[in-house]
Amino acid sequence: MATLPGIDEKLIRLNPEWTVENAGSTPLEQNLSISDFKGKRLVVTLPGAGGFCNKELDLIKDNMNRFKEAGADEVIVVVGTDILTNAGRGLANLLQDPDLAFAKANKLNLEGVRSRYLNRSVIAVDAGGNQVLREDAQLLGCRTLDGLVEAAKKAFA
C-alpha cells in the first residue's frame, strides 16, 4: 500500500470555534491536512461547493452514522471552491483545496480551471495514512449514498 498522495497538503476548514462575538480573537479558517485526522478516513471529493450536485453534501451530512457503521472513523469532504459560500453546509470536515495541491497530487484537477476537480473520487485511507481504495466517478455523475457507503465497507471491512 502506498501513502495517500497529498496527505500533508494544507487545506482550509471553517473554524467551528469562530463566532461573531469572538471574531476579533478567533480566526475564521483553520489550516488542516488529511494527516491531521486520525484513524480510518474516507475522503470524498466534490468538484466544487456550489452547484454540481450539492445533494451529495447533504447525503453525507445526513448519513454520517452509516459511514461510521461501515468502518470510517472520519469522513472528510474536499472541494476545490470557496467553502465560505456554503458556510460549511453543516459538515464538520468540509475542507477547501484553495491551491489545488491535493487535487494535483491525486490527479483530480481539471486543467485550465482553478476551482474544479476533474473527477468525483472516494478515497479510503487507513490509520497509517495509506490509500486502500479509490473509486472515481465522472465530473457530472452524482454518486448515490449506497455507492459511497459500499466503498467504505470494501475498504474498512
Side-chain angles (χ1 to χ4, degrees):
M1 288 185 283
T3 301
L4 173 67
I7 194 166
D8 292 320
E9 295 293 345
K10 290 299 180 186
L11 307 170
I12 296 171
R13 174 173 76 174
L14 290 176
N15 188 346
E17 283 87 44
W18 184 90
T19 65
V20 172
E21 293 77 27
N22 69 8
S25 61
T26 304
L28 178 62
E29 300 170 340
Q30 296 175 322
N31 291 309
L32 299 168
S33 67
I34 304 295
S35 63
D36 289 328
F37 297 88
K38 302 303 174 210
K40 296 180 234 169
R41 292 151 280 185
L42 190 69
V43 179
V44 179
T45 70
L46 292 173
F52 288 124
C53 301
N54 273 343
K55 186 69 178 158
E56 280 186 73
L57 292 168
D58 294 329
L59 284 174
I60 293 166
K61 177 184 70 173
D62 295 342
N63 293 282
M64 201 61 69
N65 61 324
R66 291 191 57 193
F67 293 105
K68 301 284 184 181
E69 289 167 5
D73 296 314
E74 297 284 351
V75 178
I76 303 163
V77 178
V78 180
V79 298
T81 58
D82 184 11
I83 60 175
L84 298 179
T85 59
N86 281 30
R89 293 190 59 101
L91 282 165
N93 296 329
L94 179 61
L95 305 177
Q96 178 191 353
D97 187 7
D99 300 319
L100 296 182
F102 181 78
K104 289 174 184 168
N106 285 281
K107 297 176 178 55
L108 294 169
N109 60 307
L110 183 59
E111 288 300 322
V113 181
R114 175 157 169 71
S115 63
R116 295 280 184 229
Y117 283 3
L118 175 62
N119 297 313
R120 296 164 177 272
S121 298
V122 58
I123 305 168
V125 182
D126 68 13
N130 298 304
Q131 179 177 309
V132 294
L133 176 132
R134 176 175 171 168
E135 294 179 359
D136 294 323
Q138 296 274 333
L139 174 66
L140 297 176
C142 296
R143 296 167 294 194
T144 65
L145 174 65
D146 289 340
L148 293 171
V149 171
E150 284 304 313
K153 285 181 183 175
K154 278 192 278 188
F156 303 131

